[in-house]
Amino acid sequence: MAENEKDMQTNGQATDSENENSMPEENMSNNSGESELEKKEQEISELRDKYLRLQAEFDNYRKRTAKEKMELLQTAGKEVIVSLLDVLDDSDRAIKQLENTTDVEAVKDGVKLVFNKLKNTLQAKGLKPMESIDTPFDPDLHDAITEIPAPTPEQSGKVVDVLQPGYYLNDKLIRHAKVIVGK
């Protein structure tokens, strides 16, 4: 029995020492598991930071482009306005001349010059009048104010008269012509 007790003690000791030896292995595996978890948490934190920075960068880009667009819209007409200032100056001079002159022909010539300058300035900026008389009525281009009996059978369904001309700006319709259509 003594041998059995010694074996038990030895087995117990061996078991205890095996347990002690196995504990550090478990601790080591726990440490490596914890370090992997820490690495994953750090990686998640880095990805979250990158995502937040990217989102903030995109938001800044969106705000900047919206601001640039607003500035462009506000200053888009500047060139046209600057070119029309000369016509405005000529109009002011014409009004002053109207007050002091009695020569109607000179006034007519002055008004015609100012009108032609305005027309030429607008055409230089891309404005083009629409030719409507004797063309077929097109609801995409014309607003029919009324219909009248056509003076000739050929003018039936065509524009007979223009009350307000239509205009194109750089070949894009900006105002429909108000017309009278023959029926």
Side-chain angles (χ1 to χ4, degrees), residues 25-39:
E25 288 177 10
E26 288 177 11
N27 287 342
M28 289 176 75
S29 66
N30 283 346
N31 286 342
S32 66
E34 287 177 14
S35 65
E36 284 181 34
L37 181 62
E38 289 173 3
K39 286 179 183 177

Side-chain angles (χ1 to χ4, degrees), residues 15-129:
T15 308
D16 287 341
S17 65
E18 285 176 7
N19 287 341
E20 289 173 7
N21 288 341
S22 67
M23 291 294 275
E25 288 177 10
E26 288 177 11
N27 287 342
M28 289 176 75
S29 66
N30 283 346
N31 286 342
S32 66
E34 287 177 14
S35 65
E36 284 181 34
L37 181 62
E38 289 173 3
K39 286 179 183 177
K40 295 295 181 184
E41 286 177 355
Q42 184 180 5
E43 187 178 330
I44 289 171
S45 175
E46 289 173 3
L47 290 173
R48 184 177 294 130
D49 185 52
K50 283 182 181 179
Y51 170 73
L52 290 174
R53 288 180 189 275
L54 183 63
Q55 188 176 17
E57 188 176 320
F58 178 73
D59 193 40
N60 289 340
Y61 167 77
R62 186 178 48 79
K63 288 178 183 176
R64 184 175 59 247
T65 56
K67 182 181 175 185
E68 289 172 356
K69 184 178 179 181
M70 287 300 297
E71 288 175 357
L72 180 65
L73 289 174
Q74 289 174 349
T75 60
K78 180 182 176 184
E79 185 180 328
V80 174
I81 298 298
V82 168
S83 66
L84 290 177
L85 289 177
D86 289 337
V87 177
L88 182 63
D89 293 339
D90 290 345
S91 298
D92 286 340
R93 284 191 285 274
I95 288 174
K96 287 180 184 176
Q97 288 299 316
L98 283 174
E99 294 171 1
N100 299 331
T101 189
T102 56
D103 186 8
V104 176
E105 286 302 315
V107 171
K108 282 183 182 180
D109 290 340
V111 170
K112 285 180 183 177
L113 286 172
V114 171
F115 176 73
N116 286 334
K117 188 171 190 176
L118 173 63
K119 193 174 179 182
N120 291 335
T121 300
L122 291 174
Q123 284 178 348
K125 297 299 176 189
L127 188 71
K128 186 169 69 171

